[in-house]
PDB file of all heavy atoms in Angstrom:
ATOM      1  N   VAL K  34      11.178 -46.456  46.105  1.00  0.00           N
ATOM      2  CA  VAL K  34       9.780 -46.922  46.147  1.00  0.00           C
ATOM      3  C   VAL K  34       8.923 -45.698  45.855  1.00  0.00           C
ATOM      4  O   VAL K  34       9.031 -44.664  46.541  1.00  0.00           O
ATOM      5  CB  VAL K  34       9.416 -47.494  47.533  1.00  0.00           C
ATOM      6  CG1 VAL K  34       7.956 -47.931  47.567  1.00  0.00           C
ATOM      7  CG2 VAL K  34      10.329 -48.665  47.885  1.00  0.00           C
ATOM      8  N   SER K  42       6.764 -36.314  41.743  1.00  0.00           N
ATOM      9  CA  SER K  42       7.504 -37.363  42.459  1.00  0.00           C
ATOM     10  C   SER K  42       8.185 -38.306  41.465  1.00  0.00           C
ATOM     11  O   SER K  42       9.337 -38.710  41.675  1.00  0.00           O
ATOM     12  CB  SER K  42       6.568 -38.183  43.335  1.00  0.00           C
ATOM     13  OG  SER K  42       6.155 -37.400  44.434  1.00  0.00           O
ATOM     14  N   TYR K  45      11.334 -36.668  40.211  1.00  0.00           N
ATOM     15  CA  TYR K  45      12.441 -36.695  41.184  1.00  0.00           C
ATOM     16  C   TYR K  45      13.063 -38.110  41.213  1.00  0.00           C
ATOM     17  O   TYR K  45      14.286 -38.225  41.318  1.00  0.00           O
ATOM     18  CB  TYR K  45      11.947 -36.269  42.573  1.00  0.00           C
ATOM     19  CG  TYR K  45      11.752 -34.791  42.713  1.00  0.00           C
ATOM     20  CD1 TYR K  45      10.553 -34.246  43.199  1.00  0.00           C
ATOM     21  CD2 TYR K  45      12.778 -33.905  42.367  1.00  0.00           C
ATOM     22  CE1 TYR K  45      10.391 -32.885  43.313  1.00  0.00           C
ATOM     23  CE2 TYR K  45      12.598 -32.524  42.492  1.00  0.00           C
ATOM     24  CZ  TYR K  45      11.409 -32.006  42.958  1.00  0.00           C
ATOM     25  OH  TYR K  45      11.246 -30.668  43.082  1.00  0.00           O
ATOM     26  N   LYS K  49      17.000 -39.273  40.377  1.00  0.00           N
ATOM     27  CA  LYS K  49      17.845 -40.022  41.295  1.00  0.00           C
ATOM     28  C   LYS K  49      18.461 -41.246  40.581  1.00  0.00           C
ATOM     29  O   LYS K  49      19.632 -41.558  40.773  1.00  0.00           O
ATOM     30  CB  LYS K  49      17.037 -40.444  42.520  1.00  0.00           C
ATOM     31  CG  LYS K  49      16.700 -39.230  43.408  1.00  0.00           C
ATOM     32  CD  LYS K  49      15.607 -39.467  44.452  1.00  0.00           C
ATOM     33  CE  LYS K  49      15.244 -38.153  45.111  1.00  0.00           C
ATOM     34  NZ  LYS K  49      14.154 -38.257  46.100  1.00  0.00           N
ATOM     35  N   ILE K  90      17.635 -47.759  50.652  1.00  0.00           N
ATOM     36  CA  ILE K  90      16.208 -47.708  50.316  1.00  0.00           C
ATOM     37  C   ILE K  90      15.709 -46.285  50.476  1.00  0.00           C
ATOM     38  O   ILE K  90      15.976 -45.634  51.501  1.00  0.00           O
ATOM     39  CB  ILE K  90      15.387 -48.643  51.246  1.00  0.00           C
ATOM     40  CG1 ILE K  90      15.894 -50.080  51.140  1.00  0.00           C
ATOM     41  CG2 ILE K  90      13.888 -48.546  50.921  1.00  0.00           C
ATOM     42  CD1 ILE K  90      15.329 -51.010  52.190  1.00  0.00           C
ATOM     43  N   LEU K  91      15.002 -45.802  49.445  1.00  0.00           N
ATOM     44  CA  LEU K  91      14.426 -44.457  49.539  1.00  0.00           C
ATOM     45  C   LEU K  91      12.948 -44.547  49.143  1.00  0.00           C
ATOM     46  O   LEU K  91      12.636 -44.987  48.021  1.00  0.00           O
ATOM     47  CB  LEU K  91      15.165 -43.523  48.557  1.00  0.00           C
ATOM     48  CG  LEU K  91      14.636 -42.097  48.455  1.00  0.00           C
ATOM     49  CD1 LEU K  91      15.808 -41.143  48.262  1.00  0.00           C
ATOM     50  CD2 LEU K  91      13.633 -41.930  47.320  1.00  0.00           C
ATOM     51  N   VAL K  92      12.081 -44.199  50.067  1.00  0.00           N
ATOM     52  CA  VAL K  92      10.636 -44.142  49.761  1.00  0.00           C
ATOM     53  C   VAL K  92      10.337 -42.696  49.412  1.00  0.00           C
ATOM     54  O   VAL K  92      10.512 -41.799  50.262  1.00  0.00           O
ATOM     55  CB  VAL K  92       9.791 -44.595  50.973  1.00  0.00           C
ATOM     56  CG1 VAL K  92       8.315 -44.535  50.639  1.00  0.00           C
ATOM     57  CG2 VAL K  92      10.174 -45.982  51.420  1.00  0.00           C
ATOM     58  N   GLN K  93       9.933 -42.441  48.191  1.00  0.00           N
ATOM     59  CA  GLN K  93       9.684 -41.068  47.745  1.00  0.00           C
ATOM     60  C   GLN K  93       8.485 -40.466  48.493  1.00  0.00           C
ATOM     61  O   GLN K  93       7.435 -41.085  48.583  1.00  0.00           O
ATOM     62  CB  GLN K  93       9.456 -41.019  46.236  1.00  0.00           C
ATOM     63  CG  GLN K  93       9.304 -39.638  45.654  1.00  0.00           C
ATOM     64  CD  GLN K  93      10.569 -38.779  45.774  1.00  0.00           C
ATOM     65  OE1 GLN K  93      11.677 -39.309  45.785  1.00  0.00           O
ATOM     66  NE2 GLN K  93      10.412 -37.490  45.864  1.00  0.00           N
ATOM     67  N   LEU K  94       8.687 -39.298  49.051  1.00  0.00           N
ATOM     68  CA  LEU K  94       7.649 -38.597  49.790  1.00  0.00           C
ATOM     69  C   LEU K  94       7.171 -37.389  48.992  1.00  0.00           C
ATOM     70  O   LEU K  94       7.929 -36.884  48.148  1.00  0.00           O
ATOM     71  CB  LEU K  94       8.197 -38.129  51.139  1.00  0.00           C
ATOM     72  CG  LEU K  94       8.790 -39.208  52.040  1.00  0.00           C
ATOM     73  CD1 LEU K  94       9.330 -38.592  53.327  1.00  0.00           C
ATOM     74  CD2 LEU K  94       7.763 -40.293  52.379  1.00  0.00           C
ATOM     75  N   PRO K  95       5.962 -36.893  49.174  1.00  0.00           N
ATOM     76  CA  PRO K  95       4.979 -37.380  50.129  1.00  0.00           C
ATOM     77  C   PRO K  95       4.299 -38.655  49.625  1.00  0.00           C
ATOM     78  O   PRO K  95       4.188 -38.864  48.412  1.00  0.00           O
ATOM     79  CB  PRO K  95       3.997 -36.216  50.197  1.00  0.00           C
ATOM     80  CG  PRO K  95       4.083 -35.542  48.860  1.00  0.00           C
ATOM     81  CD  PRO K  95       5.498 -35.712  48.412  1.00  0.00           C
ATOM     82  N   ASP K 116      17.933 -41.913  53.285  1.00  0.00           N
ATOM     83  CA  ASP K 116      17.266 -40.634  53.469  1.00  0.00           C
ATOM     84  C   ASP K 116      17.518 -40.068  54.857  1.00  0.00           C
ATOM     85  O   ASP K 116      17.315 -38.861  55.083  1.00  0.00           O
ATOM     86  CB  ASP K 116      15.747 -40.812  53.298  1.00  0.00           C
ATOM     87  CG  ASP K 116      15.207 -40.236  51.995  1.00  0.00           C
ATOM     88  OD1 ASP K 116      15.842 -39.315  51.446  1.00  0.00           O
ATOM     89  OD2 ASP K 116      14.143 -40.710  51.536  1.00  0.00           O
ATOM     90  N   PHE K 118      15.712 -40.539  57.518  1.00  0.00           N
ATOM     91  CA  PHE K 118      14.455 -40.101  58.147  1.00  0.00           C
ATOM     92  C   PHE K 118      13.993 -41.035  59.283  1.00  0.00           C
ATOM     93  O   PHE K 118      13.079 -40.693  60.015  1.00  0.00           O
ATOM     94  CB  PHE K 118      13.296 -40.038  57.123  1.00  0.00           C
ATOM     95  CG  PHE K 118      13.491 -39.003  56.031  1.00  0.00           C
ATOM     96  CD1 PHE K 118      12.768 -39.096  54.830  1.00  0.00           C
ATOM     97  CD2 PHE K 118      14.382 -37.953  56.184  1.00  0.00           C
ATOM     98  CE1 PHE K 118      12.930 -38.147  53.829  1.00  0.00           C
ATOM     99  CE2 PHE K 118      14.536 -37.003  55.179  1.00  0.00           C
ATOM    100  CZ  PHE K 118      13.813 -37.107  53.990  1.00  0.00           C
ATOM    101  N   PRO K 135      19.840 -36.598  56.660  1.00  0.00           N
ATOM    102  CA  PRO K 135      18.966 -36.314  55.528  1.00  0.00           C
ATOM    103  C   PRO K 135      19.681 -35.494  54.451  1.00  0.00           C
ATOM    104  O   PRO K 135      20.487 -34.589  54.730  1.00  0.00           O
ATOM    105  CB  PRO K 135      17.818 -35.535  56.182  1.00  0.00           C
ATOM    106  CG  PRO K 135      17.724 -36.140  57.557  1.00  0.00           C
ATOM    107  CD  PRO K 135      19.160 -36.347  57.952  1.00  0.00           C
ATOM    108  N   CYS K 136      19.407 -35.866  53.193  1.00  0.00           N
ATOM    109  CA  CYS K 136      20.247 -35.412  52.082  1.00  0.00           C
ATOM    110  C   CYS K 136      20.217 -33.904  51.832  1.00  0.00           C
ATOM    111  O   CYS K 136      21.249 -33.313  51.466  1.00  0.00           O
ATOM    112  CB  CYS K 136      19.838 -36.127  50.789  1.00  0.00           C
ATOM    113  SG  CYS K 136      19.945 -37.917  50.946  1.00  0.00           S
ATOM    114  N   THR K 137      19.050 -33.264  52.003  1.00  0.00           N
ATOM    115  CA  THR K 137      19.008 -31.820  51.699  1.00  0.00           C
ATOM    116  C   THR K 137      19.827 -31.028  52.710  1.00  0.00           C
ATOM    117  O   THR K 137      20.736 -30.278  52.298  1.00  0.00           O
ATOM    118  CB  THR K 137      17.545 -31.341  51.629  1.00  0.00           C
ATOM    119  OG1 THR K 137      16.923 -32.018  50.541  1.00  0.00           O
ATOM    120  CG2 THR K 137      17.465 -29.851  51.425  1.00  0.00           C
ATOM    121  N   PRO K 138      19.603 -31.164  54.018  1.00  0.00           N
ATOM    122  CA  PRO K 138      20.438 -30.391  54.925  1.00  0.00           C
ATOM    123  C   PRO K 138      21.907 -30.790  54.905  1.00  0.00           C
ATOM    124  O   PRO K 138      22.798 -29.922  55.018  1.00  0.00           O
ATOM    125  CB  PRO K 138      19.814 -30.637  56.308  1.00  0.00           C
ATOM    126  CG  PRO K 138      18.870 -31.768  56.146  1.00  0.00           C
ATOM    127  CD  PRO K 138      18.505 -31.856  54.717  1.00  0.00           C
ATOM    128  N   ASP K 165      12.359 -33.649  57.166  1.00  0.00           N
ATOM    129  CA  ASP K 165      13.328 -33.842  56.084  1.00  0.00           C
ATOM    130  C   ASP K 165      14.286 -32.652  55.915  1.00  0.00           C
ATOM    131  O   ASP K 165      15.387 -32.799  55.405  1.00  0.00           O
ATOM    132  CB  ASP K 165      12.642 -34.152  54.751  1.00  0.00           C
ATOM    133  CG  ASP K 165      11.632 -33.107  54.332  1.00  0.00           C
ATOM    134  OD1 ASP K 165      11.059 -32.429  55.199  1.00  0.00           O
ATOM    135  OD2 ASP K 165      11.401 -32.952  53.110  1.00  0.00           O
ATOM    136  N   VAL K 166      13.886 -31.459  56.376  1.00  0.00           N
ATOM    137  CA  VAL K 166      14.793 -30.304  56.222  1.00  0.00           C
ATOM    138  C   VAL K 166      14.997 -29.511  57.537  1.00  0.00           C
ATOM    139  O   VAL K 166      16.097 -29.503  58.087  1.00  0.00           O
ATOM    140  CB  VAL K 166      14.314 -29.330  55.131  1.00  0.00           C
ATOM    141  CG1 VAL K 166      15.342 -28.225  54.922  1.00  0.00           C
ATOM    142  CG2 VAL K 166      14.084 -30.028  53.795  1.00  0.00           C
ATOM    143  N   THR K 227      11.168 -25.229  46.443  1.00  0.00           N
ATOM    144  CA  THR K 227      10.989 -25.750  45.073  1.00  0.00           C
ATOM    145  C   THR K 227       9.505 -25.582  44.734  1.00  0.00           C
ATOM    146  O   THR K 227       8.760 -26.551  44.698  1.00  0.00           O
ATOM    147  CB  THR K 227      11.384 -27.223  44.955  1.00  0.00           C
ATOM    148  OG1 THR K 227      10.664 -27.972  45.957  1.00  0.00           O
ATOM    149  CG2 THR K 227      12.861 -27.460  45.097  1.00  0.00           C
ATOM    150  N   THR K 261      21.322 -32.091  47.020  1.00  0.00           N
ATOM    151  CA  THR K 261      20.527 -33.155  47.629  1.00  0.00           C
ATOM    152  C   THR K 261      20.822 -34.492  46.936  1.00  0.00           C
ATOM    153  O   THR K 261      21.052 -35.508  47.595  1.00  0.00           O
ATOM    154  CB  THR K 261      19.018 -32.829  47.527  1.00  0.00           C
ATOM    155  OG1 THR K 261      18.754 -31.639  48.233  1.00  0.00           O
ATOM    156  CG2 THR K 261      18.157 -33.940  48.098  1.00  0.00           C
ATOM    157  N   LEU K 265      22.656 -37.931  48.305  1.00  0.00           N
ATOM    158  CA  LEU K 265      22.016 -39.258  48.272  1.00  0.00           C
ATOM    159  C   LEU K 265      22.997 -40.313  47.747  1.00  0.00           C
ATOM    160  O   LEU K 265      23.056 -41.433  48.246  1.00  0.00           O
ATOM    161  CB  LEU K 265      20.747 -39.202  47.406  1.00  0.00           C
ATOM    162  CG  LEU K 265      20.037 -40.529  47.186  1.00  0.00           C
ATOM    163  CD1 LEU K 265      19.504 -41.103  48.500  1.00  0.00           C
ATOM    164  CD2 LEU K 265      18.911 -40.370  46.160  1.00  0.00           C
TER     165      LEU K 265
HETATM  166  N1  GUN H   1      10.395 -35.723  48.624  1.00  0.00           N
HETATM  167  C1  GUN H   1      10.948 -34.492  48.594  1.00  0.00           C
HETATM  168  N2  GUN H   1      12.216 -34.509  49.061  1.00  0.00           N
HETATM  169  C2  GUN H   1      12.468 -35.783  49.397  1.00  0.00           C
HETATM  170  C3  GUN H   1      13.621 -36.445  49.933  1.00  0.00           C
HETATM  171  O1  GUN H   1      14.670 -35.874  50.233  1.00  0.00           O
HETATM  172  N3  GUN H   1      13.485 -37.792  50.122  1.00  0.00           N
HETATM  173  C4  GUN H   1      12.353 -38.457  49.802  1.00  0.00           C
HETATM  174  N4  GUN H   1      12.332 -39.757  50.050  1.00  0.00           N
HETATM  175  N5  GUN H   1      11.289 -37.876  49.335  1.00  0.00           N
HETATM  176  C5  GUN H   1      11.341 -36.539  49.100  1.00  0.00           C
END
Side-chain angles (χ1 to χ4, degrees):
V34 178
S42 289
Y45 283 129
K49 289 165 188 178
I90 301 169
L91 177 145
V92 181
Q93 185 65 29
L94 304 178
D116 252 335
F118 296 161
C136 302
T137 296
D165 56 332
V166 184
T227 52
T261 298
L265 175 65

